[in-house]
Amino acid sequence: MNTHPVNLMVRFLLEILMLVILGYRGWHLGEGWLSYVLALAFPLCAAVLWGVFRIPNDPKPAPVAIPGVARLLLEFLLFGAAVWSLASLRYLHGSIALAVVVIIHYAVSWDRTLVMLQNKPYNGFAGKKIMGMKP
């Protein structure tokens, strides 16, 4: 189910939303020029962590391969930071909605989540066509 195009689109939108929320939180933490720096630094740091520390074959070779459990922890920390950021900015309904969608997404992606919890390399993308393209 993890490679279904709708699930991949939801995952992509969740990742983009997480980066936007972290940037918005950074903007509200600083004053003056510091707002600009934090609004860029928070999502940039999250994007670097997200892109560099991956499990093998998710969906291509990882720049820095880490165990599946560590990757799940990283993902939950980043999504958790976005949920916490919304709550701290007093968008309580938005933070609850984001948390629910993230939990549902991981439940729907049970095949990937289970393999990651077992610390096995994920082979769900290997050799499969995704949205008409081979990884």
Side-chain angles (χ1 to χ4, degrees):
M1 185 67 184
N2 185 50
T3 58
H4 191 279
V6 173
N7 194 34
L8 292 173
M9 181 186 68
V10 169
R11 183 172 180 82
F12 175 74
L13 292 175
L14 282 172
E15 293 168 13
I16 297 299
L17 184 59
M18 178 240 322
L19 295 174
V20 169
I21 291 168
L22 292 177
Y24 188 65
R25 179 64 182 144
W27 176 262
H28 284 278
L29 275 179
E31 289 186 19
W33 64 270
L34 187 58
S35 290
Y36 293 98
V37 171
L38 294 177
L40 292 173
F42 283 7
L44 182 62
C45 288
V48 167
L49 289 171
W50 192 273
V52 170
F53 298 101
R54 296 187 309 200
I55 61 173
N57 298 325
D58 190 24
K60 47 191 167 177
V64 177
I66 59 174
V69 173
R71 174 60 191 207
L72 273 178
L73 181 61
L74 174 65
E75 291 178 11
F76 285 131
L77 286 173
L78 291 174
F79 281 127
V83 168
W84 175 81
S85 294
L86 283 176
S88 69
L89 291 167
R90 305 202 190 287
Y91 293 106
L92 187 58
H93 294 309
S95 69
I96 292 170
L98 178 61
V100 167
V101 172
V102 167
I103 290 168
I104 290 171
H105 167 71
Y106 278 93
V108 169
S109 302
W110 64 269
D111 53 342
R112 177 177 179 263
T113 305
L114 182 63
V115 167
M116 291 172 74
L117 286 173
Q118 295 172 345
N119 257 342
K120 295 179 182 176
Y122 182 66
N123 293 316
F125 290 114
K128 290 187 179 180
K129 282 190 176 183
I130 301 170
M131 300 176 102
M133 301 182 304
K134 269 197 147 193

